[in-house]
Amino acid sequence: MLTRPDPAHERSEPLKQAVDLPRNVEVTKLSNELTVVTDRMEHLESAALGVWVKAGSRDEQESEHGIAHFLEHMAFKGTKARTARDIAEQIENVGGDVNAATSAETTSFYARVLKDDVPLAVDILADILTNSLFEEDELRREQHVILQEIGAAQDSPEDIVFDNFQSTAFAGQALGRPIMGTPQTVSSFGAGDLRTYLADHYHGPNMVLAASGKVDHESIVKLAASRFSSFGETPAREPVACSYTGGESRSDKVLQEAQIVLGFQGRAYHERDFYASQVLATLLGGGMSSRLFQEVREKRGLCYSIYAFHWGFSDTGLFGIHAATEENDIEPLIPVVLDELRKAGDGIDQQELDRARAQISAGLMMSMESPASRAGQIARQILLFGRPISNEELIERLQALTVDRLSDLASRLFTGADPTVAAIGPIGTLASQADITERLDAR
């Protein structure tokens, strides 16, 4: 059960910051350590708000695999005050919407409403997180829905290859398990399991209520203090540390295309090379002007789709390249990709760096036009870094990067490493992990 603090926890105090807050951002920490943050956008008539929890699939025990995602579904299936239909109708009666999402490290529950309906949205979000009933009939129905969701993912080769990629990169660890769980684990959950998971992970210090748009900070603080005071002030336990393993996962199937993911150990959010890794991924495969797209697709026509990505986590990361191609093009495609990775370690042009920085900076600024994006970004920053980070600070970090630093990072990422290889489809001609390692290390 959730612990209920004494009435003193209704009080709140400003969150002390070592640096100035971004413009229009206000932060208050309630006495149970839940953080309330608002980002006022005066020109809007609406607001986006939600609760972000520092608990996701990597916080699960093996027997709980998929429970974070299952809880996300069950939160909308009825409370002491509202039926599932009431929740949907009350938010849609005012033209709003409500939804949720689960990732490896966070779970979020959020709404979008007009400015006058912010109190209703806060009340509904608090209700589903503090008063959900988890009734047996709803549990069984939603288990069936999630089993269908798992089945749909298993019909998608791209979903399968990425699940296999992550499970191979973090073999035998929670971070490597698919977020949705398995049919066996999902079918085993009961109301008691959900309540135990809530009590273990949904604590004030691990939660942020964030709102962006036409919002009033003090009003939201008062609402939060009265509706979220039941969450305990003791931090939830930290997840077990994860470490990159690398490895190989191959599934030879009769498909029209082969799905291939090649990966390496990336950088955690707090590491010096995190932003450099983001820029390197953009430079190599972040758009039509990127090295991989130009060399593999445009010049040689060896695939329809190719891109690079970098995923950061709290204690590790993944850098990868995904390509979808036909069977006859696999053999020539892989050496071209590997050569481009090696070339990045030999040198990067200033023009390439400038273009990649511009892409990331523009994406950042464009996302600031959306209150939902702003609320989500600032909530995650508080959970990860303990404070909001201004756009100016982020852009300064990007501007500090040099071509020498990116080349050095590429050399360290792609040589002397244990790559992860995941592939599904007609992949008989795909090089082995050992062959890929040998080619990357050859000079």
Side-chain angles (χ1 to χ4, degrees):
M1 294 179 63
L2 297 175
T3 59
R4 289 192 174 275
D6 61 47
H9 289 182
E10 297 291 320
R11 299 192 301 269
S12 62
E13 60 186 19
L15 177 64
K16 302 297 191 297
Q17 296 290 347
V19 296
D20 292 336
L21 291 171
R23 187 176 59 181
N24 299 327
V25 172
E26 294 183 75
V27 182
T28 297
K29 184 172 285 189
L30 304 182
S31 293
N32 67 348
E33 300 296 311
L34 184 147
T35 300
V36 180
V37 57
T38 60
D39 183 1
R40 187 168 176 83
M41 301 171 71
E42 188 64 42
H43 62 286
L44 296 185
E45 294 298 316
S46 64
L49 65 155
V51 178
W52 278 258
V53 187
K54 192 178 181 181
S57 61
R58 71 170 297 179
D59 295 270
E60 300 165 346
Q61 302 298 311
E62 190 169 357
S63 62
E64 296 175 324
H65 181 197
I67 199 168
H69 175 253
F70 188 48
L71 174 62
E72 172 216 314
H73 278 241
M74 285 303 302
F76 298 96
K77 298 306 173 184
T79 71
K80 296 174 184 177
R82 296 175 171 94
T83 66
R85 182 163 184 163
D86 289 337
I87 294 169
E89 288 185 346
Q90 287 182 20
I91 199 75
E92 292 181 2
N93 283 345
V94 297
D97 61 79
V98 64
N99 213 328
T102 306
S103 70
E105 298 192 314
T106 63
T107 306
S108 54
F109 306 83
Y110 47 89
R112 182 79 188 272
V113 291
L114 296 178
K115 61 181 182 181
D116 292 337
D117 300 311
V118 167
L120 172 66
V122 173
D123 187 67
I124 288 176
L125 291 172
D127 194 27
I128 65 175
L129 291 176
T130 59
N131 294 317
S132 283
L133 294 175
F134 307 136
E135 293 179 321
E136 185 71 18
D137 288 347
E138 293 287 0
L139 277 165
R140 300 306 161 220
R141 262 194 298 272
E142 208 57 30
Q143 282 170 330
H144 184 64
V145 169
I146 293 175
L147 294 181
Q148 293 182 64
E149 189 178 0
I150 293 172
Q154 291 302 308
D155 285 340
S156 168
E158 188 169 350
D159 286 348
I160 294 171
V161 79
F162 272 99
D163 279 349
N164 292 348
F165 170 67
Q166 195 155 340
S167 65
T168 304
F170 299 108
Q173 301 169 77
L175 194 54
R177 295 196 291 254
I179 289 173
M180 286 188 289
T182 68
Q184 292 75 26
T185 57
V186 171
S187 298
S188 72
F189 298 143
D193 300 306
L194 291 170
R195 294 190 181 99
T196 297
Y197 182 82
L198 264 170
D200 286 346
H201 298 287
Y202 282 51
H203 295 196
N206 301 77
M207 301 173 70
V208 174
L209 171 61
S212 182
K214 196 65 168 286
V215 293
D216 177 74
H217 182 75
E218 287 305 317
S219 297
I220 291 179
V221 168
K222 289 178 182 178
L223 289 167
S226 66
R227 298 296 280 112
F228 290 92
S229 62
S230 61
F231 292 102
E233 63 186 63
T234 303
R237 67 175 183 271
E238 291 292 323
V240 176
C242 288
S243 59
Y244 175 87
T245 60
E248 190 168 15
S249 171
R250 305 166 70 102
S251 180
D252 204 326
K253 290 190 174 183
V254 179
L255 298 171
Q256 289 296 311
E257 280 192 321
Q259 300 282 339
I260 303 168
V261 185
L262 172 64
F264 306 86
Q265 183 174 7
R267 300 297 184 260
Y269 289 116
H270 297 277
E271 290 189 64
R272 177 177 180 269
D273 283 334
F274 172 73
Y275 291 99
S277 300
Q278 301 289 102
V279 172
L280 182 60
T282 301
L283 186 152
L284 283 171
M288 294 174 63
S289 63
S290 65
R291 286 192 177 195
L292 289 171
F293 192 92
Q294 284 293 315
E295 190 67 30
V296 178
R297 174 176 159 151
E298 296 296 277
K299 290 184 181 180
R300 302 172 188 263
L302 292 175
C303 66
Y304 172 71
S305 171
I306 188 166
Y307 60 87
F309 58 90
H310 179 253
W311 299 340
F313 302 104
S314 58
D315 56 357
T316 185
L318 273 178
F319 192 106
I321 297 96
H322 170 263
T325 189
E326 64 177 27
E327 181 177 11
N328 293 336
D329 287 328
I330 294 175
E331 193 168 7
L333 180 147
I334 295 300
V336 177
V337 170
L338 300 181
D339 285 347
E340 289 304 312
L341 300 185
R342 288 180 53 201
K343 288 177 185 177
D346 295 334
I348 288 171
D349 294 336
Q350 184 66 45
Q351 184 180 13
E352 290 181 296
L353 171 56
D354 291 342
R355 183 168 56 242
R357 280 194 297 218
Q359 287 177 262
I360 294 174
S361 298
L364 175 65
M365 300 307 294
M366 290 176 187
S367 71
M368 293 298 97
E369 297 177 2
S370 162
S373 294
R374 289 171 73 146
Q377 182 187 72
I378 205 166
R380 287 187 290 269
Q381 287 172 347
I382 290 175
L383 289 176
L384 292 168
F385 303 109
R387 64 179 179 90
I389 300 175
S390 68
N391 291 340
E392 291 76 14
E393 182 178 346
L394 292 172
I395 291 173
E396 281 179 13
R397 296 185 186 189
L398 294 174
Q399 292 299 328
L401 300 175
T402 64
V403 291
D404 289 341
R405 185 170 164 191
L406 259 67
S407 294
D408 175 65
L409 172 62
S411 180
R412 287 183 284 119
L413 276 178
F414 306 136
T415 59
D418 292 318
T420 300
V421 182
I424 185 172
I427 56 172
T429 59
L430 177 64
S432 69
Q433 182 201 32
D435 290 339
I436 288 171
T437 302
E438 182 179 357
R439 187 176 185 97
L440 283 170
D441 292 345
R443 290 291 174 185

